[in-house]
Amino acid sequence: MAQLPASGLAIRRMSASSTPAPGIRSEGPEYAKLVDISRCIGCKGCEIACKEWNELGIEPTENFGSFQSHRDLSADTWLLMRFTEVEVGGDVAWFIKKDACLHCAEPGCLFACPAPGAIVQYENGIVDFNQANCIGCQLCVSGCPFDIPRFNPATRKVYKCNMCIDRVEAGLEPACAKTCPTNAISWGTKEDMVALGERKVEGLRARGLANAVLYDPPGVGGTHMMYVVPHGDQLDQYDLPADPTAGAGALAMLGTVRKLGASALGLGLLAAGLHYLGFGPQVPEEDAK
Amino acid sequence: MRHGEIQRFTFLERIVHWVVGLSFLFLLLTGLAFSHPRLFWLTTLAGGGATARILHPWMGVAFTVGGVAMFFLWIRDMRIDAADREWLKAIRYYAVHDKARVPAAGKYNAGQKMFFWTMTALGAAYLVSGVPMWMPGGVLGVGPFYGGIVNAMRLVHYMATVGGGLLLIVHVYLGTVAYPGTLGAMLHGSVTRGWAKLHHPRWHGKESGR
């Protein structure tokens, strides 16, 4: 039986579970993080706060011609500020992306996971990996439209940002939001954050950034980390998919094919049984004598 | 081999068969556990979810090695000829044990030959679709496979599993309870003369020197 997560939060969805999630109570509102890219000064304090609070292993930084600390996310790096230099109107602009789990309302990782209870989604919107149930298949990595989960070969488990679930459960904001010196990261109810994001977008548009948008992609049911993107017409330069979907393509087909497959195998067993009842064994006559 | 019986499979053939058969059973049960939440408990038989996940690809290696050996061991006898086409036309009589209307089979009937060729194709499908899921980060300079490739391979792997599972049901059913005496061919290697005459008359004739 799947081990329940340490958190006592009400559960909305559990991976690979054919029965409904155990939660019948709903605990208050959904929470969300709002990242205003236009306010980020690139200090990477949030990266440190994330490592400190979650006690993640230290990985040496590397100078590869970018302001970025590491090349990629890892099982020990759940948050990475990505820096891309882009030419905008004959000028150079710095596109910064806070790369971490977006906590989708329709989580592709959870739908792809074959291990019961290895991925849970709480009623507050946070998607959490419960490594006690993880079997290390990494199918969540392929199910994620944002390429976030990372495998640790030593533990054979997959890890990602858990939105500081232990802090949130205690009524605190995530460590990254707490530490941000410019208030580029806001924390509150999803409703409030959407309203705040829209106000920020209006403000940016008034300042001449006509293409500013609030990134809350509907293809994954919206996210619980949203971005205020100054140059919304260049989402690809931020490494943000324009129209991400949960369980796209083959994964969507798999759901239907599985039902057919299970039926076919069940009918196959039944047919063999009925054939035996109908025709019985065929015994060589000579030997029976 | 038992006294008075006809040798059907050599020691090597039997070993190869059981390497392939037992690994396939393990792969099928753990694979179904990974595909169907209601069957996840099957991983307990393999030591739990994480252990089943680790063992599954290695059992796949055993299945592949055994499968390749089996392919070269038996391919000579598996060519489908004109007699087999006649046999296939009468398959509906075969299915209802109306042996009088089924053309005499040689060492293998056309159904067995088709089983051989279908499993060969499915084995290739398991291998090609399984490796990217096993090593999504890439292997031998190819990859990584994360994302669309893994998801597509997962679909292919599952569909091939259903095909192989259905064939296994037929294979085990016919090889055990439906045709008593058949299992012995894969255990001690031999069959009775009556069995050979009933199921593989042309092979029986050859083996009896007639």
Side-chain angles (χ1 to χ4, degrees):
Chain A
M1 190 47 218
Q3 222 173 313
L4 284 174
S7 153
L9 292 169
I11 292 168
R12 176 177 295 172
R13 282 197 183 105
M14 259 170 93
S15 58
S17 298
S18 46
T19 48
I24 49 167
R25 65 207 161 99
S26 166
E27 275 182 359
E30 286 182 21
Y31 289 96
K33 208 149 60 178
L34 180 69
V35 180
D36 182 351
I37 294 173
S38 71
R39 290 188 75 114
C40 177
I41 55 170
C43 74
K44 293 176 276 192
C46 52
E47 285 188 10
I48 308 293
C50 175
K51 289 242 179 201
E52 280 197 325
W53 180 262
N54 294 296
E55 296 180 322
L56 300 172
I58 293 156
E59 292 171 312
T61 56
E62 185 192 349
N63 186 346
F64 53 95
S66 163
F67 200 62
Q68 205 169 305
S69 61
H70 301 84
R71 285 181 190 269
D72 196 13
L73 292 168
S74 79
D76 272 314
T77 300
W78 296 352
L79 163 57
L80 178 68
M81 300 306 283
R82 289 189 187 271
F83 295 83
T84 315
E85 284 173 26
V86 180
E87 222 181 277
V88 180
D91 217 345
V92 173
W94 225 2
F95 281 17
I96 307 176
K97 178 198 178 190
K98 182 179 185 288
D99 199 19
C101 177
L102 282 83
H103 299 271
C104 307
E106 302 282 334
C109 58
L110 190 149
F111 299 148
C113 176
I119 304 181
V120 293
Q121 180 183 42
Y122 300 107
E123 285 290 353
N124 67 13
I126 295 175
V127 178
D128 194 11
F129 282 13
N130 183 5
Q131 279 84 17
N133 297 325
C134 176
I135 63 171
C137 67
Q138 307 177 59
L139 289 173
C140 56
V141 183
S142 294
C144 172
F146 300 100
D147 186 28
I148 299 296
R150 288 291 181 272
F151 182 65
N152 179 334
T155 63
R156 291 176 172 272
K157 310 280 181 199
V158 182
Y159 302 81
K160 70 160 188 71
C161 158
N162 62 7
M163 198 78 110
C164 291
I165 185 78
D166 43 352
R167 292 178 57 90
V168 172
E169 197 182 5
L172 302 170
E173 61 196 322
C176 58
K178 173 84 177 168
T179 208
C180 180
T182 61
N183 279 341
I185 309 172
S186 310
W187 173 253
T189 64
K190 167 91 186 190
E191 211 179 320
D192 286 353
M193 290 303 105
V194 169
L196 178 62
E198 281 166 357
R199 278 207 305 281
K200 281 171 175 280
V201 166
E202 272 171 42
L204 287 177
R205 286 185 177 165
R207 280 167 47 197
L209 289 160
N211 296 312
V213 292
L214 174 65
Y215 189 79
D216 182 21
V220 293
T223 57
H224 294 85
M225 173 167 78
M226 298 174 289
Y227 300 96
V228 172
V229 187
H231 301 282
D233 54 330
Q234 296 179 66
L235 285 176
D236 56 321
Q237 299 280 10
Y238 286 95
D239 197 22
L240 286 168
D243 188 23
T245 46
L251 269 185
M253 265 181 80
L254 192 61
T256 316
V257 170
R258 270 181 188 156
K259 288 195 184 90
L260 295 174
S263 313
L265 289 171
L267 288 175
L269 280 174
L270 185 68
L274 289 178
H275 186 271
Y276 189 76
L277 294 182
F279 301 101
Q282 199 174 23
V283 187
E285 280 168 34
E286 265 179 45
D287 301 326
K289 278 174 204 166
Chain B
M1 182 171 162
R2 286 181 180 162
H3 182 71
E5 292 195 346
I6 308 174
Q7 175 92 26
R8 186 153 169 86
F9 295 114
T10 65
F11 182 51
L12 179 67
E13 284 174 316
R14 281 175 274 155
I15 289 178
V16 167
H17 171 268
W18 288 114
V19 167
V20 171
L22 293 176
S23 61
F24 187 81
L25 191 64
F26 178 95
L27 290 162
L28 179 67
L29 294 181
T30 52
L32 288 176
F34 297 144
S35 309
H36 297 281
R38 283 187 182 88
L39 296 178
F40 193 79
W41 60 271
L42 284 169
T43 58
T44 309
L45 304 176
T51 308
R53 154 66 187 83
I54 291 168
L55 292 179
H56 186 95
W58 287 107
M59 281 291 183
V61 171
F63 175 77
T64 306
V65 171
V68 169
M70 187 184 257
F71 181 80
F72 288 109
L73 218 48
W74 290 351
I75 186 169
R76 266 183 304 127
D77 293 324
M78 294 297 174
R79 267 178 250 280
I80 292 175
D81 54 28
D84 292 318
R85 278 185 276 275
E86 289 305 308
W87 189 95
L88 283 173
K89 281 181 197 157
I91 196 162
R92 63 181 181 280
Y93 302 117
Y94 178 85
V96 297
H97 295 180
D98 188 359
K99 280 278 158 75
R101 302 175 79 166
V102 181
K107 181 164 186 185
Y108 300 107
N109 66 40
Q112 289 171 303
K113 290 181 182 179
M114 285 184 30
F115 176 59
F116 175 86
W117 289 109
T118 314
M119 274 318 294
T120 301
L122 287 174
Y126 297 138
L127 180 68
V128 169
S129 59
V131 168
M133 285 194 280
W134 186 15
M135 303 176 200
V139 57
L140 302 173
V142 189
F145 310 110
Y146 285 114
I149 296 176
V150 166
N151 293 335
M153 292 302 109
R154 194 177 173 186
L155 184 66
V156 170
H157 210 70
Y158 180 77
M159 292 197 290
T161 301
V162 174
L166 288 172
L167 288 179
L168 184 77
I169 291 170
V170 176
H171 179 66
V172 172
Y173 171 61
L174 296 181
T176 57
V177 293
Y179 301 148
T182 309
L183 186 60
M186 266 309 161
L187 294 177
H188 46 80
S190 58
V191 292
T192 64
R193 294 192 174 273
W195 183 94
K197 216 169 178 177
L198 175 64
H199 297 298
H200 299 275
R202 281 197 287 129
W203 177 65
H204 174 252
K206 217 169 110 193
E207 292 294 311
S208 318
R210 272 180 277 168

